[in-house]
Amino acid sequence: MKKLINDISNVLTESLDGFVAAHGDIITLGAEHKFVQRKVLKPGKVALLSGGGSGHEPLHAGFVGHGMLDAACPGQVFTSPTPDQMIAAAEAVDTGAGVLFIVKNYEGDVMNFDMAREMAGRDIETVITDDDVAVENSLYTTGRRGVAGTLVVEKVVGAAAEQGADLKSLKALGDKVNRATRSMGVALTSCTVPAAGKPTFDISAIEMEMGVGIHGEPGRRRVALRTANEIAEEMVAAIAGDLNVKGNALLFVNGFGGTPSMELYLMYNAAAAQLAKHGITPVRSLVGSYVTSLDMAGCSITVTMLDDTITKGWDAPVHTPALRWGL
């Protein structure tokens, strides 16, 4: 295993120290590395809080700032953060209007965020994201996994929170964006968790995992490597078939950490062409590695169907370490 690390036991804390040092104008670090929070809070605004296992950077800490999250709780690599992290973060960023949890549908995340909500003693609502169409149940979930579509929910809901929407409205909006969003991924290689020191799964040079999860968990099936057009055709067909609507959309092609931008833009071109066959027109786009799986090669395709409200939220100004426009 070749990794730029000092001590496996300190990977997360040292990474967080560097992250906050690099973006100290936007974020600060909570006590004991429990959470990352927005440096300047907006009084009277509903606080948005998310989190999950590390290894998916920049999700979630990279989206803390103006127009998105107020705090993010990083767990150990591919491990849910603990309820005490979430409680401490909620206490730090709640300015009186309540807190909205945005939680990917993984059993550990859902359980711990639920426990934190019950123990926190404050007004908290929860949005569960479950945009992955690849499998109905997986190693870590009951029901569909929450994957790259979580970024879209955080962005749109974050914009509405910035504009003063109340907690109930934000919960409803988050659920709406989640329903309008579908994703699917493909892996060309495994990721390597530092503590394990070896690839999570074995895959040959002529195979790929169709429908892989962001922790490297199995997808629909292991198949022979195909062209980008063929990969896009299968993934878009699954997404469009599940959405079962036509119209304007956001197309988000997300890298898993080990795929160069050249290939991601090639996949965007292939996906857009396939969407046209299903009557879906990308009028907004995002391409890059935003919801990763350490060093995995591969990508996911996310489609969010747009209406005026979702489009306005996506276009609204944002200033975070990983996502910035309009300011």
Side-chain angles (χ1 to χ4, degrees):
M1 179 183 73
K2 292 182 179 179
K3 298 283 187 183
L4 296 175
I5 60 178
N6 294 311
D7 185 322
I8 288 174
S9 62
N10 295 330
V11 169
L12 177 56
T13 56
E14 291 182 3
S15 177
L16 286 171
D17 286 340
F19 178 69
V20 174
H23 302 289
D25 58 324
I26 303 173
I27 55 173
T28 60
L29 188 59
E32 300 175 12
H33 295 80
K34 286 184 177 181
F35 58 91
V36 173
Q37 76 167 73
R38 183 171 167 172
K39 187 173 184 177
V40 180
L41 299 175
K42 188 173 183 178
K45 171 190 167 300
V46 174
L48 268 58
L49 196 159
S50 191
S54 297
H56 306 303
E57 290 78 16
L59 188 81
H60 295 274
F63 306 133
V64 173
H66 178 94
M68 288 190 78
L69 300 175
D70 292 278
C73 300
Q76 293 297 319
V77 175
F78 294 175
T79 302
S80 173
T82 57
D84 69 292
Q85 291 179 255
M86 301 153 194
I87 293 169
E91 291 176 349
V93 299
D94 185 357
T95 63
V99 178
L100 181 69
F101 286 168
I102 300 176
V103 185
K104 301 187 303 300
N105 188 35
Y106 289 93
E107 290 177 349
D109 289 359
V110 172
M111 179 181 67
N112 286 353
F113 271 98
D114 278 349
M115 192 179 303
R117 181 172 53 83
E118 294 170 0
M119 297 169 60
R122 60 186 66 243
D123 195 7
I124 298 175
E125 294 281 357
T126 301
V127 171
I128 305 291
T129 63
D130 59 354
D131 50 302
D132 191 351
V133 303
V135 293
E136 290 298 326
N137 296 287
S138 72
L139 296 175
Y140 298 90
T141 66
T142 299
R144 291 181 171 181
R145 302 175 290 216
V147 288
T150 307
L151 178 156
V152 184
V153 173
E154 292 175 352
K155 174 64 185 76
V156 175
V157 176
E162 206 70 51
Q163 295 160 7
D166 62 28
L167 183 57
K168 297 293 185 182
S169 298
L170 294 173
K171 154 71 173 168
L173 177 60
D175 289 338
K176 172 184 174 178
V177 178
N178 180 63
R179 290 193 300 269
T181 302
R182 299 291 187 274
S183 301
M184 188 170 170
V186 61
L188 307 183
T189 69
S190 174
C191 57
T192 300
V193 176
K198 61 181 181 180
T200 300
F201 59 88
D202 295 321
I203 187 167
S204 78
I206 58 171
E207 292 180 312
M208 61 184 189
E209 184 75 24
M210 185 63 74
V212 71
I214 58 173
H215 304 92
E217 64 267 45
R220 290 185 169 188
R221 63 190 185 280
R222 184 74 56 87
V223 296
L225 186 63
R226 300 175 184 173
T227 67
N229 285 339
E230 291 170 328
I231 294 168
E233 181 178 17
E234 178 169 346
M235 294 204 295
V236 168
I239 291 168
D242 202 89
L243 285 167
N244 195 31
V245 292
K246 299 179 180 180
N248 291 339
L250 161 70
L251 172 56
F252 170 24
V253 175
N254 171 67
F256 283 148
T259 303
S261 294
M262 181 176 69
E263 294 176 32
L264 296 180
Y265 280 107
L266 190 155
M267 283 299 298
Y268 181 93
N269 188 55
Q274 292 299 324
L275 284 171
K277 298 178 181 179
H278 297 273
I280 297 174
T281 304
V283 296
R284 297 292 186 276
S285 60
L286 185 67
V287 179
S289 296
Y290 293 99
V291 183
T292 62
S293 183
L294 293 168
D295 53 348
M296 181 186 288
C299 72
S300 60
I301 295 172
T302 295
V303 177
T304 299
M305 302 307 299
L306 297 174
D307 62 11
D308 289 344
T309 300
I310 298 176
T311 303
K312 181 180 177 182
W314 182 258
D315 289 346
V318 60
H319 190 77
T320 70
L323 210 61
R324 303 182 189 186
W325 58 72
L327 284 175

